[in-house]
Structures are given as structure tokens and as C-alpha cells.
Amino acid sequence: MAQIIANTLLYMAFYVMTGFAFLLPFTVCRRIDLSIAGFIALGPYLVITTAPFIGLAGGVITAIASTTVAGCLLQKLLFEKVSKREDFSQAALLISLGMLFILQNGISLVFGDDRYRIETWPIEPGQMVLGARLSKIQLLIIGVSIISVIIAWYLFEIRKVGKMLRAVAIDSDLCHAVGIDVGGIRILAASIGAGFAAVAGILIGCDTGMVPSMGFNPLLMGLTCVIVGGSRILGVACGAFVLSIARNIGIVWIASQWQDAVAFTVLLIFLIFRPQGFLGTPVRKVSL
Amino acid sequence: MDYLLHLLILTFIFSILTVSLNLLVGHTGLFTIAHAAFFGLGAYSSAIVGTKSNAPFYIGFVLGIVLSIVFSYIISLATLRLHEDYFAIATFGFQMILFAVFQNWIAMTNGPIGIAGVPKPNIMGWVVQSHFESLVFIGVCTIACWIFINRLAVSAFGQVLRAIREDEIYTQALGKNCFRYKSSASAISGAMASLAGSLYAHHMTYINPARFSVTDSILILSMVIIGGAGSRLGPIVGAIILVTLPEALRFLGLPSNVAANLRQILYGSALIVCIIWRPQGLIGKFSFRKDENS
Amino acid sequence: MKNKDQNNIKLSRSTKKRKIILETKCLHKHFDGTKAVNGVSLAIEEGSIVSLIGPNGAGKTTLFNVVTGFLSADAGKVVFDGIHMISKMAPYNIARLGIGRTFQDLRLIRRLTAMENVCLALPNQKGDKVIGALFGRRNREEKRRRAEAMNWLGYIGIGEEANTLAEELSYGQQKLLTVACCLALGSRLLLLDEPVAGVNPALAEKILELLLRLRNEEAKTILVVEHNMDAVMKVSDRVVAMDEGQIIADGKPKQILESAAVIEAYLE
């Protein structure tokens, strides 16, 4: 039982981080950002590039910082350029696809397609913690994700910056009118999103290792969390919970390689019956 | 010579892919990242029918097309009444799923090993054997597809699709059932991609999941955009580039994986440049309007 | 374009017993606590021009949106020509029933010509469905459509601009074009949202004349949202004033425009 809880928390950890990474551009910047898959990969590869020179901790900090800056620059230099266009959704999607190609293939060019791993602790059997067997790195992952959720919730729901982010997500024209710097808020959102993606990637890189195309599946999971749970911080956590339960239960009957299919079916069901997700934030429809 | 014929055949097949995607992306303005999944659906249908049964070759085609239409409608029903972003999201999910099916359903698809020995089409006694015969067969199919899409595009149906792209609310006020138009465009686009997949399977006689991944969907999409979305010849130009660029890069003597990476970096950059500075692509005519209000 | 029903209309106007073509019964629509439409009951007679006036935010456009199906009513009924279900119908079905509308922000397909815009509005074309598009005899169909579109463009007075792109027409001509599209659609009831706002006086005059012609010659019923009181005086058979989601006055133009309640509503 405790093991099931532990496994659930472990899956949730990854889903929640990529969920946040997808949530921020989706709500605040009103666009689908698939280059998140590229940022998920960029994080860990930057770690192994820089860690030999400045140590693991230094590498992690550099990687997260650099990815955050990359997200910031992309929003400022590319996405802002098309933000006033009629076809903004499509243009933004295409730009993110282009960036995804550049990021993934850039990494592949430099590192090749073999699987790397971020070396943390030596591989050893996990310890018993509260009745569940978890390795040190898995404990770290769960810990990091819990802290992230708490920090995210505090920042986005309680603090003023969070209120501004949500305001821009709901009605950016009104925000312009009351003097909020919509462009700046969007840059902030994109940067934080990229940062979360990098963290997610680094965690994955410590756990199962990394390849250049590692970002797609986590992105799909994160995206599903946002749809299933609703476009709020707690919504993503809720969606992550549902998805990991589904995965845990699913494993009993369905082989692990079909887990993606399960996730996608859940996604479709929610799109049909409850597109606003559990926490019910309004969904853009084709209407006035 | 045979190799040139092969390239030409590939160009035809990819033209069917880009032209069909153009109907959905260029004319209707609906973005899908699942085109390669439908391509694969057709390919695997034909391959499985061809290798595991004695059914005539067109059964594979029909199976692929029927499956494509069904899946297309499911996605449409789920998302077309919502903002078009949700349609894109659903197609992303569908692409990932189908790729997982191609990779993991070993019993049917042999997984990463792929299916070999797909028989050549046997059209009432004429076995399409040589590359030249393939060229004729596939060429005829391609021209038929091109005419099909074009007739749709210039008709009232096409006008409504483009109106939906520009202003769906206004188009509804004109009494048009926009859902029907969008879902039809999606179904036709997917079905035609499946057709291309079946042709591909029979031509190559060997398929594996690698050609049907999300990366390939993005490649086809970028070719439609760079070639010129919404135009008649733009997708053809896109297909030509898609097929010949790897060959051109090969002349530079680069190792194949480096070439593949460079190619995609090139496409990615071209896509970004295109969207920001020349949205109508190389030879397209639709340029996106810029909103003058801030 | 003489209408066979012209005599019938003349008769019914003189006997003052006209069919109610549109009726709303206790219509409610609220947004997040604000009551945009708060119990509106309205009956519009066929073949009349009714102006809907009121300050901004009174609920006029919201009323239009609910009647045409773009917003769903929270309570109440809308009945068009005896058909009750229309508050639950999709906008395109309502449009097909015979209700045409224009939008406050002048929606049109700008990259099409005037002619193509009107052609788009024509219902039930063979080329609308996939099979028809593929196999229909295009040239004949095309000629028929263009001829019909030209008729409407000529009727509303922009026939010579048929091949001009919609975005290149003047603002007033664009407004005329939106009316032409409603007519091509075959609408019997036209809901026009600010048809002369922002239009130069000469063209505004032309638009108003068109509205009168549509009522007299084509037996169309027209519901107009307008802020321009001169225009309202010129064309309306009846004026309905709204404020804060409710009808505050309803009657002949002269008495409404001089009513104290209406003037007060505007001044607030």
C-alpha cells in the first residue's frame, strides 16, 4: 500500500512539473508551446555539459537558469512578434514546433542519440521509507516536486505576481487598460514555464536517463494533466494525481508500453465531456 | 535510373500527403500534428493485410481509409466545438498513441522491426512490379488526389472552409454548419494520408514505425507552410523539397545522422523565418492579416 | 424585385392585424452576476421596422446574440414564426430559419470580393456538400450563383463594386454589403446592429432608404440597434428603449424619444 502511494507520488512528480511547464504559456500567453519538449531535453544536457567544470549543483543551477533565459528570449524575440496577428494561435504553434526541431536536433548533433544519465548517487537498492522502497534519487524527485508545487501554489495563488499572471490569462485587454505590463508578464510566464521544463528534464535525466527526443512523452503527460485537472496550479496537481492513479491501476491489467494510450484515452474523454477539467476553469469555445 | 524513379515516386507520395494536409491546414486553418499517424495507419493496414492475408490489395487501402475516417471523427467530435487549440492538442495525443501502437503491438506490427515482404499491388492481373510501373500507378493516384482536393478547394465547399478560417462566427451566422465542414475536411485529409500510406507500403515493401512519428508529422506540416499553405502548387513544392533535400545534403558527404539533424534544424529555422516574415510561404497567396489595434 | 406578398402586406397594415414574427418571453441572460438581459418580453410584428435604443450596456446586443443563438438564454423563450425551440438551436440553424444579422464590429470575409461574399451567403448550393463539390457541373452552378449575387448587389446599390475586395470598400459600402448577405441568405427577419453608425451622411441616407424599401417591397421585418436618433426617427415604426437589461419604454418614435424615462437613462 505504501509502495503504491510512493509510486503514485513518483509519477505525479514528473507529470506535475511538465504540467506547470505547459500550463503557463497555455494560459498566460494563450498558446500551445510544444518547444517545452525541447526545454525538457535541454535542461539535463546542459547539466552534463557544465557539471564537469562547476560541479553537479553548479551544473543544475546553470542549466535551469539558462533554460529559463532561453524561454524568456523566445517569448520576447519571437512570440511577441506574432502576438498581435489574427492567426496568432497557429503562428505560435508553428514557431514552437520550429524551436522544438532546432533544440532537439541541436542536442542530437552535439551529443548523439545514445542514452546518457546524470550521475548522482551510485546505483544501489532503495531504502525503506515509511514502508515503501525508494532509491535516494526517487526520494529527491518526490521531494523536489512537492516543494515545487508548494512554491508554485504560493506564488501563483497568493502573491500579487500570481494574481497578475492569472489576470493576463483571463483578460489581457482589460489588463492593458489598467496598466499592467502584459508583455512583461507573458515573458515571465514563458520563462518560468521553461524553468519548470528544465527541472522536469533534469529529474528524468537523474532517474531514467536522457535522449534528445525525451521531451515528447512527458509533455503529453503534462498537457493531459492540464486538461484533466483544469488550468490552475491545483488543477494540474489534481490531474497528475488522476493520471498516476490510472497508471498504477492500469499496470495491473495493461502492459506498461500501453500507458500512453491510457493517458490519451483519459485526455479524449475529458475533452469530450469536461474540457475545463476537474477544477472547471473556463475553456475557450467557438463563440462570441 | 531506378533510384531517380524511386525519388520521383516518393515525391508523388509526399505530394499526396502535403496536398491533403493543405486542405485542413491551409484552407480551413485547423492545425494537426497527426498527419504521419494517418499515413502510418494506411501503411500498416496495407502491410498487415498484404502479409497476413490473401485479400486483394485494395482491402488494405479501404481498411486504412475507414479507420482514418473513424478516428478523425472521434477527434473532431471531441474538440471542434472548442477553440482550435484543443483540436491541435488532441491530434498531438493521437499521434503519440498511434506511434506507441506501431512500436508496441508486436503481434500485429512487429514493433520496431517492422513488416517486410509487403506484396506488390495486383490490379486485375497487372502486378505493379517494376519501378516504372509503380511510377505510373502512383502517379495516376497522385494526380487523382490533386484533382480531388482542387475541385473541393475551388467549390463552394472550399469557399466555406476559407471563410471558417477567417471568421467562424460570421460563417455560422450565414447558416453554415461549421462543424460539418471542419470535420469533413479533417476526415478527407486523414483518409487521403492513409491512401498515401498504403501506396507507400506497397512501393517500399518494408515499413517500420520510424516514418510515422510526431517528428514526421511536424516535417510534413512544415513543408506545407514553407511551400505555401492554401495555394495549389505550394504543397507540391514543399513535397519536392522534403524529398530532395536529404539527397542534396548527402552530396555534401555528411554522415547520415548528422545530415538528418541538420535537415531538421534547417526545416525548423525555415519554419520560424517563414511564419514571422513570409507567412504565405514560398509560393502561397494567403498572407495573414496583421491586427492594427494594439 | 417586386414581391408577390406586397398586396398582403398592404392589406395587413391597413387592418392593423399583423402576424407576430418574433417573440421573446421573459428572456434572461446574465454574465457573472450582471444581468445583461433581465426579463425581456418583446413581440415584433411582421413587416415592421423596430428600433432598439438605449445607452451602452443596456443589453441590446446581448439580446441580439441570444435571439440568434450565439449566446444561450438562462431563462425565457424565443419564438420565431411559431417555432419555439429556437433558444436551444445552434446559430447556423437559426440563420437558416430566416433570421439574418449583422455584427457591431462589421464582420465580413475581407479577402473576398463583394460578389464572393454574397455568393458565400447563398444557401443550399450544390457545391456545399462534398459530393456536389466534386461532381457537380461547376460552370452552370457558378453562373447561377453569380447572377443571383449580382441581383442582390444591384438591389442594395453597390452593383458596380461587385469585384472589389471587401476590405477595399468604404465603411458604408461594407455595411450595405452585410445587409446584402443577409438578403442573399433569404432572411425574413433582419437584426441589424448599428447599420449607420460611423457612416457618412450620404451613404447613411442610402442605407436608411434601403431599410424602408426592404420593409415596403420585400415585406422584411427589421430590428435595428441604433444610437443615431435621426436615423431612428426616419425609419422606425416603433421604438423600444432598454436600460440595464430591461425594456423601459415601447411605442411610437416621437413619444419615446421625448419620454423622460428614456432621456434619464441616457444621461446616467
Side-chain angles (χ1 to χ4, degrees):
Chain A
M1 181 58 196
Q3 190 66 39
I4 295 181
I5 295 180
N7 284 340
T8 306
L9 283 175
L10 195 56
Y11 290 138
M12 273 182 73
F14 295 120
Y15 300 163
V16 132
M17 305 295 283
T18 52
F20 289 160
F22 181 77
L23 177 72
L24 281 161
F26 187 56
T27 50
V28 183
C29 309
R30 300 231 155 194
R31 57 183 172 85
I32 299 179
D33 191 350
L34 293 180
S35 59
I36 294 285
F39 289 134
I40 293 176
L42 188 63
Y45 278 96
L46 280 177
V47 169
I48 58 174
T49 317
T50 54
F53 304 105
I54 51 178
L56 184 60
V60 167
I61 294 176
T62 314
I64 297 177
S66 312
T67 314
T68 308
V69 167
C72 166
L73 287 175
L74 280 187
Q75 173 69 23
K76 194 172 166 64
L77 298 175
L78 293 179
F79 290 109
E80 293 250 297
K81 269 203 156 50
V82 294
S83 63
K84 308 245 192 297
R85 290 187 358 188
E86 229 184 295
D87 60 323
F88 169 66
S89 300
Q90 294 97 313
L93 177 61
L94 288 170
I95 293 177
S96 78
L97 288 176
M99 261 339 280
L100 175 61
F101 261 17
I102 294 175
L103 283 169
Q104 258 185 244
N105 289 285
I107 292 173
S108 179
L109 262 183
V110 173
F111 291 94
D113 292 328
D114 293 329
R115 185 168 288 264
Y116 282 79
R117 241 178 123 250
I118 298 179
E119 299 300 333
T120 46
W121 292 283
I123 301 178
E124 59 191 11
Q127 308 155 312
M128 290 303 285
V129 175
L130 296 173
R133 184 169 292 281
L134 286 170
S135 69
K136 279 213 187 91
I137 190 66
Q138 288 174 328
L139 273 173
L140 178 70
I141 290 171
I142 294 178
V144 167
S145 71
I146 292 179
I147 295 176
S148 299
V149 173
I150 294 176
I151 294 181
W153 180 78
Y154 177 66
L155 273 178
F156 297 132
E157 300 285 334
I158 311 288
R159 299 289 302 184
K160 183 170 168 208
V161 66
K163 293 196 163 75
M164 289 211 284
L165 282 164
R166 276 181 291 137
V168 171
I170 294 174
D171 193 341
S172 61
D173 291 325
L174 193 58
C175 290
H176 270 304
V178 298
I180 295 180
D181 176 13
V182 172
I185 294 285
R186 288 194 165 141
I187 292 178
L188 181 65
S191 315
I192 301 177
F196 272 119
V199 175
I202 293 172
L203 291 177
I204 299 176
C206 295
D207 184 38
T208 51
M210 59 240 215
V211 288
S213 60
M214 63 188 283
F216 283 120
N217 277 61
L219 173 60
L220 181 65
M221 293 300 171
L223 185 157
T224 308
C225 288
V226 171
I227 300 292
V228 166
S231 307
R232 296 284 283 264
I233 295 293
L234 283 183
V236 173
C238 180
F241 180 65
V242 169
L243 265 188
S244 7
I245 297 283
R247 195 178 188 118
N248 264 325
I249 297 178
I251 271 192
V252 176
W253 295 297
I254 310 172
S256 60
Q257 59 258 40
W258 294 105
Q259 293 305 311
D260 288 346
V262 172
F264 176 62
T265 314
V266 173
L267 174 67
L268 263 193
I269 290 174
F270 271 80
L271 280 174
I272 297 176
F273 294 111
R274 198 175 164 83
Q276 66 270 45
F278 276 120
L279 295 201
T281 51
V283 150
R284 284 173 282 157
K285 292 198 176 165
V286 184
S287 67
L288 286 170
Chain B
M1 182 56 194
D2 239 16
Y3 185 64
L4 280 177
L5 282 180
H6 167 73
L7 277 189
L8 199 53
I9 291 172
L10 274 190
T11 309
F12 279 151
I13 292 178
F14 276 87
S15 294
I16 300 180
L17 283 176
T18 51
V19 164
S20 56
L21 187 59
N22 191 26
L23 183 71
L24 193 56
V25 170
H27 291 281
T28 321
L30 273 178
F31 274 62
T32 166
I33 315 172
H35 217 55
F38 289 109
F39 185 38
L41 207 51
Y44 272 98
S45 294
S46 279
I48 292 172
V49 165
T51 53
K52 294 194 199 239
S53 78
N54 284 322
F57 80 101
Y58 56 81
I59 298 290
F61 281 75
V62 169
L63 180 64
I65 289 176
V66 167
L67 284 176
S68 294
I69 294 179
V70 167
F71 286 132
S72 207
Y73 265 108
I74 293 177
I75 296 176
S76 296
L77 280 171
T79 58
L80 280 184
R81 295 180 215 274
L82 308 173
H83 190 267
E84 62 213 356
D85 279 351
Y86 291 93
F87 181 77
I89 288 173
T91 60
F92 176 58
F94 179 69
Q95 167 68 65
M96 301 293 290
I97 288 312
L98 229 53
F99 183 74
V101 169
F102 298 151
Q103 282 270 76
N104 296 320
W105 197 5
I106 314 273
M108 271 295 204
T109 67
N110 284 352
I113 304 175
I115 301 181
V118 182
K120 291 290 190 183
N122 183 334
I123 310 174
M124 294 188 293
W126 170 41
V127 177
V128 182
Q129 192 64 39
S130 72
H131 270 178
F132 184 71
E133 287 171 321
S134 267
L135 184 71
V136 170
F137 176 53
I138 294 178
V140 166
C141 291
T142 307
I143 292 174
C145 288
W146 192 77
I147 293 178
F148 186 102
I149 296 287
N150 257 317
R151 283 210 72 139
L152 277 184
V154 303
S155 70
F157 182 83
Q159 280 289 42
V160 176
L161 288 184
R162 289 187 290 277
I164 290 175
R165 178 184 156 161
E166 175 155 344
D167 193 337
E168 183 164 347
I169 293 180
Y170 172 69
T171 312
Q172 281 201 41
L174 290 184
K176 314 291 181 197
N177 180 355
C178 296
F179 174 79
R180 172 169 79 78
Y181 286 91
K182 291 194 289 186
S183 60
S184 300
S186 171
I188 292 171
S189 160
M192 205 171 265
S194 170
L195 173 74
S198 295
L199 290 173
Y200 180 77
H202 284 295
H203 169 67
M204 303 291 287
T205 71
Y206 166 70
I207 58 169
N208 67 11
R211 272 280 193 192
F212 312 119
S213 72
V214 63
T215 306
D216 299 283
S217 278
I218 300 175
L219 275 174
I220 303 170
L221 183 58
S222 56
M223 277 307 107
V224 172
I225 302 294
I226 295 173
S231 74
R232 262 197 296 193
L233 293 176
I236 312 265
V237 168
I240 294 176
I241 298 177
L242 191 60
V243 173
T244 57
L245 194 59
E247 308 307 317
L249 282 180
R250 200 180 299 193
F251 274 127
L252 295 175
L254 296 160
S256 67
N257 52 339
V258 171
N261 287 329
L262 267 182
R263 192 166 50 113
Q264 289 187 19
I265 292 181
L266 223 63
Y267 286 144
S269 318
L271 190 58
I272 294 178
V273 165
C274 186
I275 272 301
I276 297 185
W277 285 287
R278 199 182 158 81
Q280 67 269 42
L282 287 171
I283 65 175
K285 342 169 258 193
F286 291 162
S287 53
F288 299 86
R289 267 181 53 230
K290 295 193 199 294
D291 189 2
E292 260 100 64
N293 315 324
S294 75
Chain C
M1 291 204 141
K2 295 289 178 192
N3 196 302
K4 295 173 221 136
D5 288 347
Q6 199 177 345
N7 290 330
N8 288 341
I9 291 300
K10 277 206 183 125
L11 186 66
S12 44
R13 283 181 80 192
S14 64
T15 59
K16 290 210 164 55
K17 238 195 176 153
R18 272 189 279 180
K19 186 170 94 170
I20 302 289
I21 195 172
L22 177 74
E23 193 174 357
T24 72
K25 297 183 182 168
C26 267
L27 214 51
H28 283 269
K29 177 68 186 171
H30 62 82
F31 298 112
D32 287 334
T34 321
K35 291 201 178 181
V37 175
N38 192 2
V40 170
S41 298
L42 193 56
I44 310 285
E45 289 169 334
E46 187 169 22
S48 65
I49 300 181
V50 177
S51 287
L52 204 52
I53 66 172
N56 280 329
K60 314 185 292 293
T61 302
T62 309
L63 183 63
F64 268 21
N65 287 335
V66 172
V67 167
T68 51
F70 284 99
L71 288 174
S72 56
D74 294 319
K77 281 208 263 244
V78 182
V79 181
F80 176 69
D81 202 13
I83 303 171
H84 275 255
M85 287 305 294
I86 100 167
S87 46
K88 300 251 183 344
M89 290 166 81
Y92 70 90
N93 273 326
I94 294 178
R96 284 191 198 164
L97 279 183
I99 302 184
R101 71 165 296 175
T102 64
F103 291 86
Q104 205 170 11
D105 47 355
L106 196 61
R107 290 179 184 248
L108 271 179
I109 307 296
R110 285 164 202 280
R111 71 166 85 97
L112 293 181
T113 64
M115 157 87 73
E116 287 168 341
N117 264 288
V118 178
C119 282
L120 187 65
L122 293 169
N124 293 331
Q125 303 188 48
K126 288 214 181 59
D128 265 351
K129 300 205 169 36
V130 177
I131 303 290
L134 293 173
F135 298 114
R137 252 173 287 180
R138 263 188 44 225
N139 285 334
R140 221 170 40 174
E141 180 71 17
E142 189 66 22
K143 275 203 187 120
R144 200 184 59 79
R145 285 169 66 203
R146 294 176 89 84
E148 197 173 338
M150 260 327 276
N151 262 338
W152 289 116
L153 286 171
Y155 184 82
I156 64 159
I158 55 173
E160 65 279 4
E161 304 287 353
N163 293 319
T164 318
L165 288 177
E167 60 189 346
E168 287 168 12
L169 294 172
S170 75
Y171 192 61
Q173 288 172 326
Q174 287 175 339
K175 291 211 155 168
L176 278 172
L177 183 56
T178 58
V179 180
C181 291
C182 287
L183 294 173
L185 185 54
S187 311
R188 286 178 292 151
L189 169 65
L190 282 81
L191 301 179
L192 305 180
D193 206 333
E194 301 195 25
V196 294
V199 176
N200 73 65
L203 214 38
E205 201 51 46
K206 217 174 158 189
I207 295 176
L208 295 175
E209 273 166 20
L210 172 66
L211 297 189
L212 290 169
R213 257 199 310 159
L214 287 174
R215 180 194 66 189
N216 297 334
E217 295 171 14
E218 303 296 323
K220 303 290 184 196
T221 314
I222 308 177
L223 189 53
V224 175
V225 166
E226 240 327 317
H227 288 289
N228 182 332
M229 294 307 160
D230 284 333
V232 168
M233 279 301 291
K234 276 196 187 126
V235 296
S236 320
D237 296 321
R238 173 178 161 209
V239 173
V240 174
M242 281 180 74
D243 189 24
E244 291 182 3
Q246 291 179 313
I247 296 180
I248 58 172
D250 181 349
K252 291 253 182 317
K254 198 151 176 12
Q255 78 197 60
I256 297 300
L257 291 179
E258 287 170 1
S259 117
V262 172
I263 297 176
E264 201 185 314
Y266 268 100
L267 286 177
E268 265 176 15

